[in-house]
Amino acid sequence: MKPSLATRIGALKLDNPVLMASGTFGYGDEITDLVSVGKLGGIITKTITLQPRPGNPPPRICEVTGGMINAIGLQNIGAERFLQEKLPALRALQVNIIVSIAGNSVEEYVRLAHQLDGVRGIAGIELNLSCPNLQKKIISQDPKLVRAIVAAVSKASRVPVIAKLSPQVTDIVAMAEIAMTAGATAVSLINTFPAMAIDIATRKPKIAFVTGGLSGPAIKPMAVRAVWEVYRALKAPIIGGGGIMTAEDAVEFLLAGASAVSVGTANFIDPGVPEKIVSGLRSYMERYGIINIKELVGSVRC
Ligand SMILES: Cc1cc2nc3c(=O)[nH]c(=O)nc-3n(C[C@H](O)[C@H](O)[C@H](O)COP(=O)(O)O)c2cc1C
């Protein structure tokens, strides 16, 4: 019997659990020559905002041991141009499209949600509440703001709403619980860790913004722990991610409690990685006689 990789995030059905993580593959329309995007569970678009943003000045990325630091600063073309210029091409890929959004206020998140509501081809909304590369505090460090944004967007939107949280909090379970009780369909765990690297020859930070977000294999064990803690406490649907480079990494996240996984930094090495993870998951299931991928979710033996 062929193993079934089908999973779901609330009402959102995915053929398999592998998603492209926001901000790590352009808008998606540029990579179609390199990747059979249709073979993935879905893509989470680059975060869009109401108005276009130029992002932070360069250098905005640097490589570090076990990963990379970025401080892109939510550079994007704005919601209107995204819908006009990018979404049609993405829609043609026949893949679940989860649109990532960010705003400066509850009102901005709601205006974005209204703008996206009912647009054909949008399967879900991911609320980026966790960007570390802006002048202000990370939103998901503020429980009141998380509650207000998630509640307002969930009300304004007919598609599943996923709250993407920062790991840079004292209690990730408490923040996830707030998001879930406010109406989120799922939580996305985790965004990057605030980090810094210094060029010892020039004594300057390697990133012009000085600090940035650390991603890649270095953060994987911390991401797995966050997923496990939230799953154990809330049994909430979780998109797990942080340092996933291989199918084995993805399995770890599923065992910890993720129903789906997102792959980010690996795309900078090879945008074909997410597709390879899908086939690697299938091989793992065959090897261990697992019929349905849902059997793996949260099945770590502690
Ligand atoms: C260059 C770069 C840009 C990113 N841009 C976004 C973004 O726009 N919105 C967002 O929610 N996350 C963004 N992220 C975070 C990723 O989506 C992902 O959550 C994080 O990098 C951890 O996963 P990874 O280790 O697989 O990369 C970005 C990450 C990188 C490396």
Side-chain angles (χ1 to χ4, degrees):
M1 202 169 165
K2 264 179 105 178
S4 165
L5 274 76
T7 186
R8 56 195 304 164
I9 302 163
L12 175 56
K13 291 184 184 154
L14 308 176
D15 288 345
N16 66 69
V18 184
L19 307 167
M20 290 276 217
S22 178
T24 59
F25 59 99
Y27 289 98
D29 54 339
E30 305 93 340
I31 54 160
T32 48
D33 291 346
L34 304 166
V35 186
S36 311
V37 177
K39 290 191 181 153
L40 303 178
I43 59 175
I44 307 172
T45 69
K46 171 76 196 158
T47 298
I48 56 161
T49 50
L50 271 179
Q51 302 302 329
R53 286 177 56 94
N56 294 327
R60 311 195 287 189
I61 55 174
C62 76
E63 223 175 304
V64 293
T65 311
M68 64 188 281
I69 298 177
N70 91 81
I72 306 295
L74 297 187
Q75 179 187 358
N76 78 99
I77 56 175
E80 207 172 304
R81 278 187 62 197
F82 169 79
L83 291 175
Q84 275 167 17
E85 297 171 22
K86 301 293 179 183
L87 190 64
L90 293 182
R91 218 184 261 137
L93 301 175
Q94 308 264 331
V95 66
N96 284 305
I97 302 163
I98 298 172
V99 178
S100 170
I101 61 171
N104 284 315
S105 61
V106 179
E107 290 68 34
E108 280 195 15
Y109 275 93
V110 172
R111 278 177 62 194
L112 276 161
H114 280 306
Q115 213 167 336
L116 302 179
D117 192 43
V119 174
R120 193 168 59 81
I122 298 179
I125 291 179
E126 185 173 85
L127 299 174
N128 182 354
L129 304 172
S130 41
C131 183
N133 303 321
L134 307 172
Q135 294 297 352
K136 45 191 182 23
K137 212 174 138 184
I138 297 173
I139 290 177
S140 67
Q141 291 175 333
D142 181 336
K144 280 194 191 129
L145 214 43
V146 169
R147 187 176 291 114
I149 293 168
V150 174
V153 172
S154 302
K155 223 166 117 191
S157 178
R158 281 171 282 180
V159 292
V161 172
I162 301 150
K164 184 168 183 181
L165 303 180
S166 169
Q168 187 77 353
V169 288
T170 315
D171 186 353
I172 188 91
V173 175
M175 301 313 296
E177 188 167 17
I178 288 166
M180 292 305 296
T181 50
T185 303
V187 284
S188 191
L189 303 173
I190 50 171
N191 209 322
T192 53
F193 280 82
M196 182 172 176
I198 300 168
D199 181 327
I200 59 165
T202 61
R203 301 191 186 188
K204 289 191 164 179
K206 288 188 177 173
I207 298 273
F209 192 69
V210 181
T211 60
L214 177 64
S215 61
I219 69 170
K220 195 192 83 182
M222 296 183 281
V224 170
R225 179 206 67 115
V227 168
W228 175 70
E229 294 220 338
V230 170
Y231 183 80
R232 182 173 63 148
L234 307 179
K235 298 286 176 294
I238 299 168
I239 298 175
I244 297 179
M245 310 300 276
T246 63
E248 288 73 21
D249 294 335
V251 171
E252 264 191 77
F253 277 87
L254 297 173
L255 295 174
S259 300
V261 294
S262 64
V263 181
T265 299
N267 293 319
F268 287 82
I269 300 165
D270 172 9
V273 166
E275 220 178 304
K276 289 176 191 156
I277 291 178
V278 176
S279 47
L281 283 176
R282 195 168 290 118
S283 308
Y284 171 86
M285 291 171 71
E286 282 164 357
R287 195 173 337 124
Y288 287 92
I290 295 151
I291 307 293
N292 189 326
I293 201 151
K294 291 178 194 145
E295 289 170 40
L296 292 175
V297 176
S299 69
V300 60
R301 297 172 183 146
C302 291

